[in-house]
C-alpha cells in the first residue's frame, strides 16, 4: 500500500543489471561489459561480442587455507541463537539485488523487521558513520539514493556514472563515493546538497572501494583489471595504481590506516598492501572467489567472504589473523558467501549468502554460525547501523527515474 506522506508508492520492478554478478561463467555485468573469472586469467569482454581485450598473468600464492581449521556448516541451533539474542543493538541493512529491495535485520533478535522496496538492482548498501542515513546504489538506473535511517524517508536521489557497484561515505560523513563499473570512474557526491562535485577516472571496472580511517585516501578495487586505484581525496585525483592480481573485488583498511587489504577473486587470494610504500607486502590463499573483506574493530581478524560461482558456489568465510597474515579458521556460512560486516563490538560478523538468499550471523569468538536470517533474492552488500529500526510493514520508495540528470539531488516527496 502506498504511503503518500512519505512519497512511497508503486511496485518495484525486478532488478536486471547488478555489477558484478557471479554466475557459472564468471562476472556478468551491465552495459555490455563481462568479466570471465576462472582458470589462469581474467578475460575482459567489451560490447557483448566476446572479444578478449586482455589477460593478466597469474601470480604465486602462499599460506594455503587448507592449513587452517574449518568449522562445519551449522543450522544455528535455537539454543545457540537464543544465547546471542540481545547482545547487539542496531540494524543490519542488506541489499537484495534481484529483489529490488533492502532488508532490515534487527541485530538484537536476528529477524527481519521491515523491507524497503523501490531501488532497482541494489548491489550495495552503506550506513553513514553517524548511522543517521543509509545509502544504496541502483546498478539498473545508475543512481545513488539516501534514506533517513529512522523514518525510512527517501532524502536523496543522485545520478552517478554507469552501473554503480558500491557506495561508501567519508569518515566525516560529508562525502559519498560511488564506483561506476561501466564508466571506469568514481563519482564524488556532497551528502548535504546531493550535488556531484567531481568524477574521477580510475581503473577498469571499479567495484569495491573504501576510505582510509582518516579520510585522506580512497582505495578502489578494479575488478575488470588487476589494480587498486589510490585517490587523494583532497585533490580528487588518482595518484597511484597498485598491481595486486587478477580481478580485485573489494578492499578493507586496518584501523590505523597503515595497510589496505584486497580480495583478488580470480586467484582465490587476499593481499596486504603497505600504504606508505604502496607495495604488496603479503599474500594469502583463501576460499573460492573471495569478494568482500572486512577488518574487525580490534584489528584481530581480517574476514574474506568466498562466493565462488553459481555452478560451484563458495560457502565459506576465511578468518585471517592480521598479525601473522595467515588463515586461522574457516567458517562454513552458506551458498555464495558475498558480503561481510562486523558489529562495532567485534563479536558478530554478518555474511550475505548470495545463492541461499539469507544472512549468516557468525560468532567471532567461537567461529560458528549462531543464526541464519532469510532475506530477499540475491543478497549482496551489507552494512551495520547503530540506529535500530522498529518492526513495520514493508515500505516502497518512489525513486525518481532520471530525475537528477544535472547531478543534483531530488527528494522522495512532493508527488514524485
Amino acid at each position: 500500500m502506498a504511503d503518500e506522506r512519505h512519497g512511497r508508492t508503486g511496485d518495484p520492478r525486478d532488478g536486471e543489471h547488478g555489477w558484478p554478478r557471479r554466475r557459472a561463467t564468471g562476472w556478468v555485468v551491465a552495459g555490455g561489459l563481462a568479466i570471465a573469472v576462472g582458470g589462469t586469467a581474467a578475460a575482459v569482454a567489451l560490447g557483448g561480442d566476446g572479444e578478449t581485450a586482455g589477460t593478466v598473468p597469474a601470480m604465486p600464492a602462499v599460506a594455503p587455507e587448507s592449513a587452517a581449521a574449518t568449522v562445519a556448516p551449522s543450522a544455528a541451533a535455537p539454543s545457540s541463537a537464543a544465547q546471542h539474542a540481545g547482545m547487539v543493538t542496531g540494524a543490519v541493512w542488506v541489499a537484495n539485488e534481484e529483489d529490488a529491495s533492502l532488508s532490515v535485520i534487527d541485530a538484537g533478535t536476528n529477524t527481519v523487521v521491515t523491507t524497503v522496496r523501490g531501488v532497482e538492482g541494489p548491489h550495495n548498501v552503506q550506513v553513514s558513520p553517524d548511522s543517521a542515513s543509509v545509502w544504496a546504489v541502483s546498478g539498473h538506473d545508475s543512481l545513488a539514493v539516501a534514506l533517513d535511517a529512522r523514518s525510512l524517508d527517501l532524502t536523496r536521489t543522485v545520478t552517478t556514472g554507469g552501473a554503480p557497484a558500491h557506495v561508501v561515505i567519508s569518515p566525516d560523513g560529508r562525502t559519498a563515493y560511488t564506483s561506476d563499473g561501466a564508466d571506469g570512474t568514481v563519482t564524488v557526491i556532497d551528502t548535504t546538497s546531493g550535488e556531484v562535485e567531481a568524477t574521477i577516472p580510475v581503473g577498469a571496472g571499479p567495484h569495491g572501494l573504501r576510505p582510509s580511517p582518516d579520510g585522506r585516501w580512497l582505495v578502489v578495487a578494479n575488478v575488470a583489471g588487476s589494480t587498486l586505484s589510490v585517490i587523494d581525496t583532497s585533490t580528487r585525483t588518482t595518484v597511484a595504481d597498485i598491481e595486486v592480481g587478477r580481478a580485485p573485488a573489494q578492499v578493507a583498511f586496518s584501523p590505523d590506516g597503515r595497510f589496505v587489504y584486497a580480495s583478488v577473486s580470480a586467484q582465490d587470494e587476499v593481499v596486504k598492501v603497505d600504504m606508505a610504500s604502496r607495495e604488496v607486502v603479503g599474500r594469502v590463499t583463501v576460499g573460492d572467489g573471495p569478494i568482500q573483506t572486512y577488518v574487525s574493530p580490534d584489528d584481530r581478524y581480517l574476514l574474506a567472504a568466498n562466493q565462488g560461482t553459481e555452478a560451484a558456489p563458495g560457502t565459506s568465510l576465511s578468518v585471517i589473523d592480521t598479525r601473522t597474515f595467515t588463515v586461522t579458521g574457516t567458517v562454513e556460512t552458506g551458498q555464495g558467501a558475498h558480503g561481510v560486516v562486523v558489529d562495532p563490538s567485534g563479536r558478530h560478523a554478518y555474511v550475505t549468502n548470495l545463492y541461499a538468499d539469507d544472512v549468516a550471523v557468525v560468532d567471532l569468538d567461537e567461529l560458528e554460525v549462531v543464526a541464519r536470517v532469510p532475506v530477499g533474492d540475491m543478497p549482496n552488500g551489507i552494512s551495520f547501523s547503530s540506529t535500530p529500526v522498529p518492526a513495520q510493514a514493508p515500505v516502497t520508495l518512489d525513486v525518481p527515474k532520471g530525475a537528477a540528470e544535472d547531478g543534483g539531488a531530488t527528494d522522495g516527496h512532493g508527488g514524485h
Side-chain angles (χ1 to χ4, degrees), residues 97-117:
E97 188 165 8
E98 289 291 334
D99 206 30
S101 72
L102 308 175
S103 294
V104 186
I105 299 170
D106 182 272
T109 62
N110 291 322
T111 58
V112 172
V113 291
T114 194
T115 301
V116 178
R117 301 188 182 279

Side-chain angles (χ1 to χ4, degrees), residues 125-135 147 149 168-174 191 383-387:
V125 61
Q126 182 66 56
V127 175
S128 63
D130 62 2
S131 289
S133 62
V134 179
W135 287 73
L147 291 71
V168 293
I169 313 300
S170 61
D172 63 10
R174 296 178 180 177
T191 57
S383 191
F384 190 93
S385 171
S386 62
T387 301

Side-chain angles (χ1 to χ4, degrees), residues 56-293:
V56 184
M59 294 183 178
V62 297
E65 183 183 35
S66 58
T70 299
V71 180
S74 166
S79 59
S80 177
Q83 291 172 5
H84 288 259
M87 280 189 175
V88 182
T89 299
V92 181
W93 287 76
V94 180
N96 305 306
E97 188 165 8
E98 289 291 334
D99 206 30
S101 72
L102 308 175
S103 294
V104 186
I105 299 170
D106 182 272
T109 62
N110 291 322
T111 58
V112 172
V113 291
T114 194
T115 301
V116 178
R117 301 188 182 279
V119 181
E120 301 284 357
H123 183 75
N124 179 247
V125 61
Q126 182 66 56
V127 175
S128 63
D130 62 2
S131 289
S133 62
V134 179
W135 287 73
V137 286
S138 168
H140 181 282
D141 291 325
S142 295
L143 297 173
V145 301
L147 291 71
D148 184 283
R150 294 187 182 277
S151 68
L152 306 186
D153 290 347
L154 181 66
T155 59
R156 296 283 178 222
T157 304
V158 185
T159 297
T160 66
H166 280 232
V167 57
V168 293
I169 313 300
S170 61
D172 63 10
R174 296 178 180 177
T175 309
Y177 303 94
T178 66
S179 54
D180 310 322
D183 291 349
T185 59
V186 166
T187 297
V188 183
I189 304 167
D190 183 295
T191 57
T192 300
S193 68
E195 296 292 325
V196 171
E197 296 187 322
T199 301
I200 306 169
V202 288
H207 189 65
L209 72 171
R210 286 199 173 112
S212 59
D214 62 5
R216 181 181 179 187
W217 310 109
L218 181 74
V219 177
V220 186
N222 301 307
V223 76
S226 61
T227 64
L228 305 181
S229 292
V230 180
I231 294 172
D232 183 323
T233 58
S234 63
T235 62
R236 292 174 174 170
T237 57
T238 298
V239 295
D241 288 296
I242 303 169
E243 288 284 342
V244 293
R246 296 172 290 124
Q250 178 57 302
V251 298
F253 271 92
S254 61
D256 62 8
R258 290 182 57 202
F259 302 105
V260 67
Y261 306 97
S263 58
V264 184
S265 61
Q267 295 177 197
D268 299 341
E269 294 175 338
V270 171
V271 298
K272 179 180 182 179
V273 175
D274 184 295
M275 283 297 294
S277 66
R278 294 175 184 164
E279 294 180 347
V280 174
V281 295
R283 188 178 297 271
V284 62
T285 299
V286 291
D288 180 35
I291 305 296
Q292 286 204 19
T293 53

Side-chain angles (χ1 to χ4, degrees), residues 259-354:
F259 302 105
V260 67
Y261 306 97
S263 58
V264 184
S265 61
Q267 295 177 197
D268 299 341
E269 294 175 338
V270 171
V271 298
K272 179 180 182 179
V273 175
D274 184 295
M275 283 297 294
S277 66
R278 294 175 184 164
E279 294 180 347
V280 174
V281 295
R283 188 178 297 271
V284 62
T285 299
V286 291
D288 180 35
I291 305 296
Q292 286 204 19
T293 53
Y294 204 93
V295 179
S296 61
D298 61 3
D299 201 22
R300 178 173 53 154
Y301 292 138
L302 167 65
L303 307 176
N306 304 309
Q307 179 181 296
T309 66
E310 193 166 15
T315 61
S316 68
L317 180 72
S318 294
V319 182
I320 301 166
D321 185 310
T322 57
R323 295 165 300 175
T324 63
F325 205 57
T326 57
V327 175
T328 58
T330 302
V331 182
E332 292 290 326
T333 59
Q335 298 283 303
H338 179 97
V340 59
V341 71
V342 178
D343 75 67
S345 74
R347 180 65 186 270
H348 295 115
Y350 302 84
V351 180
T352 56
N353 295 312
L354 191 71

